[in-house]
């Protein structure tokens, strides 16, 4: 199974879980090798170069989705828009589209670099895009969904017990992500409380709404 890994903090609990529940060292190595940022992973998945991955919601149209995703139910801190010069983030198709459907213009910033900006800047003159979506549509926002090209039965089997509340992240992993991102371990843990993964009825409605709004983009 070729699984592409979005190497952002928001999927840290999932990847800790996967490493513990996949017994094949070869599969574990492939997951590490195939890591990248969302827009690259979208392309690899569409070209069928990987079997499964968390795909940006806007790229998941027509793909086979499982009921797992990257979800924000309020503010998310890691997807923001800074008013001023209009500039898309090359790493994310969904967040760029989200700013457009919300009618917001400025610089889109996503992922760990956005989270660092959130904690480092004293100027709070930015917009949390997940919060803006929730306030406008009263729905959570689903940034990505777990999609599959092959080995669906296997993937369902290994992910069915995933529950972020039961995942303990070892200190050495937190330390590694903290050093890499420049974000404190306590801020990382606080941020992960804002991320959910289970896609239910409201989340499916949110995906449908977003895809309807972005159909013309």
């Amino acid at each position: 199974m070729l699984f592409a890994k979005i190497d952002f903090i928001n999927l840290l609990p999932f990847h800790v879980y996967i490493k513990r529940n996949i017994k094949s060292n070869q599969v574990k190595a492939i997951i590490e090798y195939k890591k990248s940022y969302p827009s690259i992973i979208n392309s690899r998945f569409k070209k069928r170069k990987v079997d499964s991955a968390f795909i940006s919601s806007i790229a998941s149209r027509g793909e086979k989705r499982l009921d797992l995703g990257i979800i924000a139910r309020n503010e998310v801190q890691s997807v923001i828009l800074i008013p001023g010069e209009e500039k898309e983030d090359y790493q994310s198709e969904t967040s760029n589209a989200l700013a457009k459907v919300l009618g917001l213009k400025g610089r889109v910033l996503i992922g760990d670099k956005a989270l660092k900006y959130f904690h480092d800047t004293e100027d709070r003159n930015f917009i949390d895009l997940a919060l803006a979506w929730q306030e406008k549509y009263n729905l959570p926002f689903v940034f990505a969904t777990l999609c599959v090209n092959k080995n669906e039965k296997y993937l369902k089997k290994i992910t069915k017990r995933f529950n972020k509340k039961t995942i303990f992240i070892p200190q050495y992993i937190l330390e590694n992500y903290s050093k890499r991102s420049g974000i404190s371990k306590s801020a990382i843990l606080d941020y992960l409380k804002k991320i959910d993964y289970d896609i239910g009825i409201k989340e499916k409605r949110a995906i449908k709404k977003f895809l309807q709004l972005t159909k013309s983009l």
Side-chain angles (χ1 to χ4, degrees):
M1 181 184 72
L2 299 179
F3 189 99
K5 175 182 178 180
I6 298 177
D7 202 24
F8 287 166
I9 291 170
N10 56 21
L11 275 175
L12 184 51
F14 181 81
H15 291 303
V16 169
Y17 169 85
I18 284 292
K19 280 299 186 76
R20 289 175 182 166
N21 285 272
I22 290 180
K23 294 181 173 57
S24 166
N25 288 330
Q26 183 181 10
V27 173
K28 289 179 181 180
I30 288 169
I31 290 173
E32 286 299 321
Y33 177 71
K34 295 291 182 180
K35 63 186 179 183
S36 190
Y37 50 83
S39 59
I40 290 291
I41 288 177
N42 292 346
S43 176
R44 288 177 181 168
F45 184 84
K46 293 286 186 180
K47 293 176 181 177
R48 303 311 188 238
K49 291 182 177 180
V50 295
D51 298 336
S52 55
F54 281 87
I55 299 300
S56 297
S57 290
I58 196 168
S60 73
R61 196 189 311 266
E63 301 293 351
K64 188 175 291 185
R65 303 187 195 103
L66 303 189
D67 289 336
L68 282 175
I70 302 172
I71 303 155
R73 307 189 189 283
N74 206 292
E75 72 166 5
V76 72
Q77 299 181 352
S78 61
V79 181
I80 61 176
L81 181 135
I82 305 165
E85 180 185 359
E86 196 167 353
K87 184 179 180 182
E88 294 186 344
D89 191 312
Y90 71 94
Q91 292 186 332
S92 175
E93 298 171 27
T94 288
S95 300
N96 296 329
L98 176 57
K100 289 178 181 177
V101 299
L102 291 171
L104 300 172
K105 294 184 179 181
R107 177 188 173 197
V108 176
L109 205 60
I110 75 147
D112 299 353
K113 63 183 181 296
L115 187 59
K116 181 169 173 53
Y117 182 93
F118 177 90
H119 285 287
D120 286 355
T121 183
E122 295 181 3
D123 180 7
R124 311 309 284 178
N125 184 33
F126 55 79
I127 298 167
D128 187 297
L129 291 179
L131 181 58
W133 167 272
Q134 197 277 335
E135 289 175 342
K136 186 168 185 177
Y137 295 109
N138 194 29
L139 287 168
F141 192 77
V142 182
F143 286 98
T145 63
L146 182 56
C147 293
V148 59
N149 286 320
K150 293 194 304 184
N151 299 309
E152 179 181 0
K153 186 176 180 180
Y154 175 68
L155 193 60
K156 281 183 175 179
K157 180 181 178 181
I158 63 172
T159 59
K160 68 179 181 180
R161 292 186 301 275
F162 173 65
N163 180 344
K164 80 164 190 174
K165 294 178 182 177
T166 65
I167 303 301
F168 170 76
I169 301 173
Q171 282 296 312
Y172 78 93
I173 293 180
L174 277 175
E175 186 71 32
N176 179 48
Y177 272 79
S178 178
K179 286 181 178 178
R180 188 185 73 179
S181 65
I183 302 164
S184 71
K185 290 186 287 185
S186 61
I188 288 174
L189 291 173
D190 181 65
Y191 165 67
L192 289 173
K193 293 176 185 176
K194 303 179 185 302
I195 305 294
D196 282 320
Y197 304 95
D198 294 320
I199 294 179
I201 294 173
K202 286 193 76 172
E203 290 74 29
K204 289 178 181 178
R205 282 175 52 205
I207 294 170
K208 184 177 180 180
K209 180 71 174 177
F210 179 65
L211 291 179
Q212 286 174 340
L213 290 169
T214 56
K215 196 169 184 179
S216 62
L217 294 180

